[in-house]
PDB file of all heavy atoms in Angstrom:
ATOM      1  N   PRO A 145     -67.486  -5.983-100.134  1.00 91.00           N
ATOM      2  CA  PRO A 145     -67.726  -7.107 -99.303  1.00 91.00           C
ATOM      3  C   PRO A 145     -67.991  -6.608 -97.860  1.00 91.00           C
ATOM      4  O   PRO A 145     -67.505  -5.674 -97.393  1.00 91.00           O
ATOM      5  CB  PRO A 145     -66.477  -7.936 -99.376  1.00 91.00           C
ATOM      6  CG  PRO A 145     -65.463  -7.007 -99.864  1.00 91.00           C
ATOM      7  CD  PRO A 145     -66.118  -5.943-100.664  1.00 91.00           C
ATOM      8  N   ARG A 146     -68.804  -7.375 -97.145  1.00 90.00           N
ATOM      9  CA  ARG A 146     -69.104  -7.123 -95.726  1.00 90.00           C
ATOM     10  C   ARG A 146     -68.774  -8.418 -94.922  1.00 90.00           C
ATOM     11  O   ARG A 146     -69.263  -9.489 -95.308  1.00 90.00           O
ATOM     12  CB  ARG A 146     -70.580  -6.731 -95.528  1.00 90.00           C
ATOM     13  CG  ARG A 146     -70.896  -6.422 -94.054  1.00 90.00           C
ATOM     14  CD  ARG A 146     -72.185  -5.621 -93.981  1.00 90.00           C
ATOM     15  NE  ARG A 146     -72.539  -5.356 -92.598  1.00 90.00           N
ATOM     16  CZ  ARG A 146     -72.191  -4.295 -91.908  1.00 90.00           C
ATOM     17  NH1 ARG A 146     -71.373  -3.442 -92.460  1.00 90.00           N
ATOM     18  NH2 ARG A 146     -72.595  -4.103 -90.659  1.00 90.00           N
ATOM     19  N   ILE A 147     -68.016  -8.260 -93.934  1.00 93.00           N
ATOM     20  CA  ILE A 147     -67.588  -9.368 -93.101  1.00 93.00           C
ATOM     21  C   ILE A 147     -68.331  -9.330 -91.777  1.00 93.00           C
ATOM     22  O   ILE A 147     -68.340  -8.297 -91.102  1.00 93.00           O
ATOM     23  CB  ILE A 147     -66.061  -9.378 -92.824  1.00 93.00           C
ATOM     24  CG1 ILE A 147     -65.354  -9.493 -94.222  1.00 93.00           C
ATOM     25  CG2 ILE A 147     -65.614 -10.437 -91.890  1.00 93.00           C
ATOM     26  CD1 ILE A 147     -63.861  -9.339 -94.127  1.00 93.00           C
ATOM     27  N   SER A 148     -68.915 -10.448 -91.392  1.00 93.00           N
ATOM     28  CA  SER A 148     -69.660 -10.557 -90.164  1.00 93.00           C
ATOM     29  C   SER A 148     -69.189 -11.818 -89.383  1.00 93.00           C
ATOM     30  O   SER A 148     -68.911 -12.829 -89.987  1.00 93.00           O
ATOM     31  CB  SER A 148     -71.159 -10.627 -90.374  1.00 93.00           C
ATOM     32  OG  SER A 148     -71.570  -9.520 -91.067  1.00 93.00           O
ATOM     33  N   LEU A 149     -69.129 -11.700 -88.039  1.00 95.00           N
ATOM     34  CA  LEU A 149     -68.710 -12.803 -87.230  1.00 95.00           C
ATOM     35  C   LEU A 149     -69.678 -12.791 -85.988  1.00 95.00           C
ATOM     36  O   LEU A 149     -69.877 -11.773 -85.369  1.00 95.00           O
ATOM     37  CB  LEU A 149     -67.307 -12.676 -86.745  1.00 95.00           C
ATOM     38  CG  LEU A 149     -66.765 -13.687 -85.761  1.00 95.00           C
ATOM     39  CD1 LEU A 149     -66.694 -15.033 -86.394  1.00 95.00           C
ATOM     40  CD2 LEU A 149     -65.436 -13.270 -85.281  1.00 95.00           C
ATOM     41  N   GLY A 150     -70.121 -13.933 -85.616  1.00 94.00           N
ATOM     42  CA  GLY A 150     -70.984 -14.095 -84.464  1.00 94.00           C
ATOM     43  C   GLY A 150     -70.671 -15.283 -83.626  1.00 94.00           C
ATOM     44  O   GLY A 150     -70.182 -16.284 -84.154  1.00 94.00           O
ATOM     45  N   LEU A 151     -70.827 -15.216 -82.298  1.00 95.00           N
ATOM     46  CA  LEU A 151     -70.574 -16.233 -81.394  1.00 95.00           C
ATOM     47  C   LEU A 151     -71.773 -16.513 -80.398  1.00 95.00           C
ATOM     48  O   LEU A 151     -72.357 -15.449 -80.001  1.00 95.00           O
ATOM     49  CB  LEU A 151     -69.302 -15.996 -80.546  1.00 95.00           C
ATOM     50  CG  LEU A 151     -67.952 -15.819 -81.289  1.00 95.00           C
ATOM     51  CD1 LEU A 151     -66.909 -15.305 -80.370  1.00 95.00           C
ATOM     52  CD2 LEU A 151     -67.551 -17.137 -81.939  1.00 95.00           C
ATOM     53  N   GLU A 152     -72.032 -17.736 -80.147  1.00 92.00           N
ATOM     54  CA  GLU A 152     -73.040 -18.010 -79.134  1.00 92.00           C
ATOM     55  C   GLU A 152     -72.434 -18.955 -78.110  1.00 92.00           C
ATOM     56  O   GLU A 152     -71.795 -19.966 -78.404  1.00 92.00           O
ATOM     57  CB  GLU A 152     -74.282 -18.685 -79.694  1.00 92.00           C
ATOM     58  CG  GLU A 152     -75.286 -19.025 -78.759  1.00 92.00           C
ATOM     59  CD  GLU A 152     -76.618 -19.657 -79.343  1.00 92.00           C
ATOM     60  OE1 GLU A 152     -77.167 -18.991 -80.213  1.00 92.00           O
ATOM     61  OE2 GLU A 152     -77.008 -20.724 -78.961  1.00 92.00           O
ATOM     62  N   TRP A 153     -72.594 -18.688 -76.766  1.00 93.00           N
ATOM     63  CA  TRP A 153     -72.069 -19.525 -75.719  1.00 93.00           C
ATOM     64  C   TRP A 153     -73.227 -19.919 -74.903  1.00 93.00           C
ATOM     65  O   TRP A 153     -73.981 -19.081 -74.363  1.00 93.00           O
ATOM     66  CB  TRP A 153     -71.121 -18.712 -74.956  1.00 93.00           C
ATOM     67  CG  TRP A 153     -70.457 -19.531 -73.817  1.00 93.00           C
ATOM     68  CD1 TRP A 153     -69.778 -20.603 -73.871  1.00 93.00           C
ATOM     69  CD2 TRP A 153     -70.591 -19.159 -72.441  1.00 93.00           C
ATOM     70  NE1 TRP A 153     -69.309 -21.044 -72.674  1.00 93.00           N
ATOM     71  CE2 TRP A 153     -69.874 -20.170 -71.699  1.00 93.00           C
ATOM     72  CE3 TRP A 153     -71.168 -18.194 -71.649  1.00 93.00           C
ATOM     73  CZ2 TRP A 153     -69.741 -20.210 -70.318  1.00 93.00           C
ATOM     74  CZ3 TRP A 153     -71.078 -18.184 -70.274  1.00 93.00           C
ATOM     75  CH2 TRP A 153     -70.384 -19.187 -69.651  1.00 93.00           C
ATOM     76  N   THR A 154     -73.468 -21.240 -74.698  1.00 90.00           N
ATOM     77  CA  THR A 154     -74.545 -21.696 -73.888  1.00 90.00           C
ATOM     78  C   THR A 154     -74.036 -22.000 -72.428  1.00 90.00           C
ATOM     79  O   THR A 154     -74.889 -21.962 -71.534  1.00 90.00           O
ATOM     80  CB  THR A 154     -75.208 -23.048 -74.427  1.00 90.00           C
ATOM     81  OG1 THR A 154     -74.144 -23.964 -74.711  1.00 90.00           O
ATOM     82  CG2 THR A 154     -75.932 -22.696 -75.723  1.00 90.00           C
ATOM     83  N   GLY A 155     -72.784 -22.148 -72.242  1.00 83.00           N
ATOM     84  CA  GLY A 155     -72.186 -22.261 -70.885  1.00 83.00           C
ATOM     85  C   GLY A 155     -72.886 -23.309 -70.045  1.00 83.00           C
ATOM     86  O   GLY A 155     -73.335 -24.382 -70.522  1.00 83.00           O
ATOM     87  N   LEU A 156     -73.066 -23.006 -68.809  1.00 81.00           N
ATOM     88  CA  LEU A 156     -73.656 -23.973 -67.807  1.00 81.00           C
ATOM     89  C   LEU A 156     -75.152 -24.062 -67.935  1.00 81.00           C
ATOM     90  O   LEU A 156     -75.765 -25.057 -67.565  1.00 81.00           O
ATOM     91  CB  LEU A 156     -73.181 -23.625 -66.409  1.00 81.00           C
ATOM     92  CG  LEU A 156     -71.755 -23.597 -66.196  1.00 81.00           C
ATOM     93  CD1 LEU A 156     -71.429 -23.128 -64.774  1.00 81.00           C
ATOM     94  CD2 LEU A 156     -71.175 -24.976 -66.411  1.00 81.00           C
ATOM     95  N   ILE A 157     -75.797 -23.025 -68.424  1.00 84.00           N
ATOM     96  CA  ILE A 157     -77.261 -22.961 -68.484  1.00 84.00           C
ATOM     97  C   ILE A 157     -77.679 -22.962 -69.954  1.00 84.00           C
ATOM     98  O   ILE A 157     -77.696 -21.946 -70.542  1.00 84.00           O
ATOM     99  CB  ILE A 157     -77.796 -21.691 -67.751  1.00 84.00           C
ATOM    100  CG1 ILE A 157     -77.305 -21.635 -66.325  1.00 84.00           C
ATOM    101  CG2 ILE A 157     -79.302 -21.705 -67.775  1.00 84.00           C
ATOM    102  CD1 ILE A 157     -77.591 -20.343 -65.609  1.00 84.00           C
ATOM    103  N   ARG A 158     -78.015 -24.077 -70.465  1.00 81.00           N
ATOM    104  CA  ARG A 158     -78.384 -24.235 -71.797  1.00 81.00           C
ATOM    105  C   ARG A 158     -79.532 -23.390 -72.256  1.00 81.00           C
ATOM    106  O   ARG A 158     -79.613 -22.907 -73.415  1.00 81.00           O
ATOM    107  CB  ARG A 158     -78.627 -25.695 -72.184  1.00 81.00           C
ATOM    108  CG  ARG A 158     -78.881 -25.916 -73.637  1.00 81.00           C
ATOM    109  CD  ARG A 158     -79.188 -27.375 -73.902  1.00 81.00           C
ATOM    110  NE  ARG A 158     -79.656 -27.516 -75.300  1.00 81.00           N
ATOM    111  CZ  ARG A 158     -79.088 -28.220 -76.221  1.00 81.00           C
ATOM    112  NH1 ARG A 158     -78.059 -28.942 -75.955  1.00 81.00           N
ATOM    113  NH2 ARG A 158     -79.596 -28.221 -77.501  1.00 81.00           N
ATOM    114  N   MET A 159     -80.536 -23.167 -71.402  1.00 85.00           N
ATOM    115  CA  MET A 159     -81.682 -22.403 -71.773  1.00 85.00           C
ATOM    116  C   MET A 159     -81.478 -20.866 -71.734  1.00 85.00           C
ATOM    117  O   MET A 159     -82.347 -20.109 -72.053  1.00 85.00           O
ATOM    118  CB  MET A 159     -82.845 -22.743 -70.807  1.00 85.00           C
ATOM    119  CG  MET A 159     -82.600 -22.382 -69.379  1.00 85.00           C
ATOM    120  SD  MET A 159     -83.938 -22.914 -68.350  1.00 85.00           S
ATOM    121  CE  MET A 159     -84.881 -21.465 -68.276  1.00 85.00           C
ATOM    122  N   LEU A 160     -80.262 -20.365 -71.443  1.00 89.00           N
ATOM    123  CA  LEU A 160     -79.957 -18.975 -71.431  1.00 89.00           C
ATOM    124  C   LEU A 160     -78.657 -18.685 -72.147  1.00 89.00           C
ATOM    125  O   LEU A 160     -77.611 -18.435 -71.579  1.00 89.00           O
ATOM    126  CB  LEU A 160     -79.786 -18.572 -69.910  1.00 89.00           C
ATOM    127  CG  LEU A 160     -79.684 -17.060 -69.637  1.00 89.00           C
ATOM    128  CD1 LEU A 160     -81.055 -16.336 -70.123  1.00 89.00           C
ATOM    129  CD2 LEU A 160     -79.405 -16.853 -68.181  1.00 89.00           C
ATOM    130  N   PRO A 161     -78.736 -18.712 -73.524  1.00 90.00           N
ATOM    131  CA  PRO A 161     -77.470 -18.489 -74.313  1.00 90.00           C
ATOM    132  C   PRO A 161     -77.048 -16.980 -74.248  1.00 90.00           C
ATOM    133  O   PRO A 161     -77.878 -16.104 -74.142  1.00 90.00           O
ATOM    134  CB  PRO A 161     -77.889 -18.898 -75.703  1.00 90.00           C
ATOM    135  CG  PRO A 161     -79.359 -18.688 -75.783  1.00 90.00           C
ATOM    136  CD  PRO A 161     -79.856 -18.975 -74.346  1.00 90.00           C
ATOM    137  N   LEU A 162     -75.788 -16.742 -74.380  1.00 93.00           N
ATOM    138  CA  LEU A 162     -75.259 -15.403 -74.536  1.00 93.00           C
ATOM    139  C   LEU A 162     -74.654 -15.314 -75.989  1.00 93.00           C
ATOM    140  O   LEU A 162     -73.937 -16.255 -76.451  1.00 93.00           O
ATOM    141  CB  LEU A 162     -74.112 -15.135 -73.565  1.00 93.00           C
ATOM    142  CG  LEU A 162     -74.603 -15.204 -72.072  1.00 93.00           C
ATOM    143  CD1 LEU A 162     -73.356 -15.076 -71.171  1.00 93.00           C
ATOM    144  CD2 LEU A 162     -75.703 -14.163 -71.767  1.00 93.00           C
ATOM    145  N   ARG A 163     -74.908 -14.172 -76.608  1.00 92.00           N
ATOM    146  CA  ARG A 163     -74.475 -14.017 -78.015  1.00 92.00           C
ATOM    147  C   ARG A 163     -73.701 -12.658 -78.229  1.00 92.00           C
ATOM    148  O   ARG A 163     -74.144 -11.702 -77.584  1.00 92.00           O
ATOM    149  CB  ARG A 163     -75.631 -14.071 -79.002  1.00 92.00           C
ATOM    150  CG  ARG A 163     -76.449 -15.359 -78.857  1.00 92.00           C
ATOM    151  CD  ARG A 163     -77.634 -15.374 -79.819  1.00 92.00           C
ATOM    152  NE  ARG A 163     -78.433 -16.458 -79.633  1.00 92.00           N
ATOM    153  CZ  ARG A 163     -79.674 -16.458 -79.005  1.00 92.00           C
ATOM    154  NH1 ARG A 163     -80.152 -15.308 -78.621  1.00 92.00           N
ATOM    155  NH2 ARG A 163     -80.280 -17.548 -78.808  1.00 92.00           N
ATOM    156  N   THR A 164     -72.787 -12.661 -79.145  1.00 94.00           N
ATOM    157  CA  THR A 164     -72.112 -11.427 -79.489  1.00 94.00           C
ATOM    158  C   THR A 164     -71.801 -11.482 -80.990  1.00 94.00           C
ATOM    159  O   THR A 164     -71.631 -12.569 -81.530  1.00 94.00           O
ATOM    160  CB  THR A 164     -70.886 -11.150 -78.614  1.00 94.00           C
ATOM    161  OG1 THR A 164     -70.366  -9.884 -78.933  1.00 94.00           O
ATOM    162  CG2 THR A 164     -69.828 -12.228 -78.903  1.00 94.00           C
ATOM    163  N   GLY A 165     -71.632 -10.338 -81.596  1.00 92.00           N
ATOM    164  CA  GLY A 165     -71.352 -10.311 -83.033  1.00 92.00           C
ATOM    165  C   GLY A 165     -70.602  -9.003 -83.497  1.00 92.00           C
ATOM    166  O   GLY A 165     -70.667  -8.054 -82.679  1.00 92.00           O
ATOM    167  N   PHE A 166     -70.030  -9.049 -84.638  1.00 92.00           N
ATOM    168  CA  PHE A 166     -69.306  -7.933 -85.128  1.00 92.00           C
ATOM    169  C   PHE A 166     -69.487  -7.954 -86.678  1.00 92.00           C
ATOM    170  O   PHE A 166     -69.413  -8.987 -87.222  1.00 92.00           O
ATOM    171  CB  PHE A 166     -67.781  -8.053 -84.801  1.00 92.00           C
ATOM    172  CG  PHE A 166     -66.957  -6.994 -85.451  1.00 92.00           C
ATOM    173  CD1 PHE A 166     -66.923  -5.675 -85.000  1.00 92.00           C
ATOM    174  CD2 PHE A 166     -66.170  -7.313 -86.564  1.00 92.00           C
ATOM    175  CE1 PHE A 166     -66.153  -4.772 -85.613  1.00 92.00           C
ATOM    176  CE2 PHE A 166     -65.384  -6.408 -87.193  1.00 92.00           C
ATOM    177  CZ  PHE A 166     -65.323  -5.122 -86.692  1.00 92.00           C
ATOM    178  N   ALA A 167     -69.673  -6.835 -87.309  1.00 91.00           N
ATOM    179  CA  ALA A 167     -69.842  -6.654 -88.708  1.00 91.00           C
ATOM    180  C   ALA A 167     -69.105  -5.418 -89.199  1.00 91.00           C
ATOM    181  O   ALA A 167     -69.240  -4.312 -88.537  1.00 91.00           O
ATOM    182  CB  ALA A 167     -71.277  -6.660 -89.154  1.00 91.00           C
ATOM    183  N   THR A 168     -68.472  -5.510 -90.342  1.00 90.00           N
ATOM    184  CA  THR A 168     -67.791  -4.352 -90.846  1.00 90.00           C
ATOM    185  C   THR A 168     -67.696  -4.453 -92.384  1.00 90.00           C
ATOM    186  O   THR A 168     -67.821  -5.514 -92.904  1.00 90.00           O
ATOM    187  CB  THR A 168     -66.346  -4.158 -90.360  1.00 90.00           C
ATOM    188  OG1 THR A 168     -65.876  -2.901 -90.734  1.00 90.00           O
ATOM    189  CG2 THR A 168     -65.448  -5.228 -90.707  1.00 90.00           C
ATOM    190  N   GLY A 169     -67.610  -3.285 -93.066  1.00 88.00           N
ATOM    191  CA  GLY A 169     -67.489  -3.341 -94.580  1.00 88.00           C
ATOM    192  C   GLY A 169     -68.887  -3.105 -95.263  1.00 88.00           C
ATOM    193  O   GLY A 169     -69.833  -2.739 -94.596  1.00 88.00           O
ATOM    194  N   GLY A 170     -68.767  -3.266 -96.515  1.00 84.00           N
ATOM    195  CA  GLY A 170     -69.995  -3.015 -97.359  1.00 84.00           C
ATOM    196  C   GLY A 170     -70.384  -1.522 -97.370  1.00 84.00           C
ATOM    197  O   GLY A 170     -69.530  -0.694 -97.208  1.00 84.00           O
ATOM    198  N   ASN A 171     -71.688  -1.317 -97.554  1.00 83.00           N
ATOM    199  CA  ASN A 171     -72.178   0.098 -97.583  1.00 83.00           C
ATOM    200  C   ASN A 171     -72.626   0.519 -96.207  1.00 83.00           C
ATOM    201  O   ASN A 171     -73.210   1.580 -96.045  1.00 83.00           O
ATOM    202  CB  ASN A 171     -73.369   0.186 -98.561  1.00 83.00           C
ATOM    203  CG  ASN A 171     -72.843   0.096 -99.988  1.00 83.00           C
ATOM    204  OD1 ASN A 171     -71.723   0.460-100.291  1.00 83.00           O
ATOM    205  ND2 ASN A 171     -73.734  -0.273-100.915  1.00 83.00           N
ATOM    206  N   LYS A 172     -72.447  -0.337 -95.163  1.00 80.00           N
ATOM    207  CA  LYS A 172     -72.898   0.028 -93.869  1.00 80.00           C
ATOM    208  C   LYS A 172     -71.712   0.278 -92.875  1.00 80.00           C
ATOM    209  O   LYS A 172     -70.600  -0.213 -93.176  1.00 80.00           O
ATOM    210  CB  LYS A 172     -73.770  -1.056 -93.274  1.00 80.00           C
ATOM    211  CG  LYS A 172     -74.992  -1.305 -94.073  1.00 80.00           C
ATOM    212  CD  LYS A 172     -75.808  -2.456 -93.486  1.00 80.00           C
ATOM    213  CE  LYS A 172     -77.064  -2.725 -94.321  1.00 80.00           C
ATOM    214  NZ  LYS A 172     -77.907  -3.773 -93.835  1.00 80.00           N
ATOM    215  N   SER A 173     -71.947   0.932 -91.812  1.00 80.00           N
ATOM    216  CA  SER A 173     -70.921   1.199 -90.839  1.00 80.00           C
ATOM    217  C   SER A 173     -70.597  -0.065 -89.980  1.00 80.00           C
ATOM    218  O   SER A 173     -71.415  -1.002 -90.000  1.00 80.00           O
ATOM    219  CB  SER A 173     -71.207   2.397 -89.949  1.00 80.00           C
ATOM    220  OG  SER A 173     -72.410   2.099 -89.188  1.00 80.00           O
ATOM    221  N   THR A 174     -69.525   0.007 -89.237  1.00 85.00           N
ATOM    222  CA  THR A 174     -69.189  -1.095 -88.355  1.00 85.00           C
ATOM    223  C   THR A 174     -70.240  -1.197 -87.241  1.00 85.00           C
ATOM    224  O   THR A 174     -70.794  -0.197 -86.814  1.00 85.00           O
ATOM    225  CB  THR A 174     -67.805  -0.745 -87.701  1.00 85.00           C
ATOM    226  OG1 THR A 174     -66.866  -0.677 -88.798  1.00 85.00           O
ATOM    227  CG2 THR A 174     -67.363  -1.838 -86.732  1.00 85.00           C
ATOM    228  N   ALA A 175     -70.542  -2.440 -86.810  1.00 86.00           N
ATOM    229  CA  ALA A 175     -71.528  -2.614 -85.809  1.00 86.00           C
ATOM    230  C   ALA A 175     -71.093  -3.793 -84.896  1.00 86.00           C
ATOM    231  O   ALA A 175     -70.551  -4.755 -85.306  1.00 86.00           O
ATOM    232  CB  ALA A 175     -72.903  -2.938 -86.433  1.00 86.00           C
ATOM    233  N   PHE A 176     -71.413  -3.636 -83.564  1.00 87.00           N
ATOM    234  CA  PHE A 176     -71.298  -4.673 -82.635  1.00 87.00           C
ATOM    235  C   PHE A 176     -72.730  -4.995 -82.176  1.00 87.00           C
ATOM    236  O   PHE A 176     -73.553  -4.191 -82.056  1.00 87.00           O
ATOM    237  CB  PHE A 176     -70.512  -4.152 -81.342  1.00 87.00           C
ATOM    238  CG  PHE A 176     -69.125  -3.745 -81.646  1.00 87.00           C
ATOM    239  CD1 PHE A 176     -68.794  -2.418 -81.972  1.00 87.00           C
ATOM    240  CD2 PHE A 176     -68.124  -4.731 -81.631  1.00 87.00           C
ATOM    241  CE1 PHE A 176     -67.469  -2.131 -82.288  1.00 87.00           C
ATOM    242  CE2 PHE A 176     -66.789  -4.458 -81.883  1.00 87.00           C
ATOM    243  CZ  PHE A 176     -66.463  -3.063 -82.229  1.00 87.00           C
ATOM    244  N   SER A 177     -72.923  -6.311 -81.911  1.00 88.00           N
ATOM    245  CA  SER A 177     -74.213  -6.798 -81.431  1.00 88.00           C
ATOM    246  C   SER A 177     -74.064  -7.682 -80.223  1.00 88.00           C
ATOM    247  O   SER A 177     -73.059  -8.361 -80.085  1.00 88.00           O
ATOM    248  CB  SER A 177     -75.028  -7.503 -82.529  1.00 88.00           C
ATOM    249  OG  SER A 177     -74.243  -8.678 -82.951  1.00 88.00           O
ATOM    250  N   PHE A 178     -75.091  -7.621 -79.375  1.00 89.00           N
ATOM    251  CA  PHE A 178     -75.126  -8.458 -78.110  1.00 89.00           C
ATOM    252  C   PHE A 178     -76.584  -8.983 -77.940  1.00 89.00           C
ATOM    253  O   PHE A 178     -77.509  -8.315 -78.265  1.00 89.00           O
ATOM    254  CB  PHE A 178     -74.684  -7.574 -76.932  1.00 89.00           C
ATOM    255  CG  PHE A 178     -73.437  -6.846 -77.115  1.00 89.00           C
ATOM    256  CD1 PHE A 178     -73.375  -5.564 -77.583  1.00 89.00           C
ATOM    257  CD2 PHE A 178     -72.275  -7.508 -76.754  1.00 89.00           C
ATOM    258  CE1 PHE A 178     -72.167  -4.952 -77.804  1.00 89.00           C
ATOM    259  CE2 PHE A 178     -71.012  -6.905 -76.946  1.00 89.00           C
ATOM    260  CZ  PHE A 178     -70.978  -5.603 -77.465  1.00 89.00           C
TER     261      PHE A 178
END
């Protein structure tokens, strides 16, 4: 199994979202995303 989690924050400026994510497990290595 591979577990992934992602978040998006639109904050005060809806047209400029900020995103982050994390994934681990499976046949791939751990990864962070922005």
Side-chain angles (χ1 to χ4, degrees):
R146 182 161 177 87
I147 297 172
S148 301
L149 174 69
L151 299 171
E152 179 177 306
W153 181 63
T154 54
L156 299 174
I157 305 172
R158 183 181 169 122
M159 62 185 263
L160 188 66
L162 299 175
R163 302 178 186 109
T164 186
F166 172 78
T168 188
N171 289 334
K172 299 180 180 180
S173 62
T174 299
F176 294 93
S177 61
F178 306 93

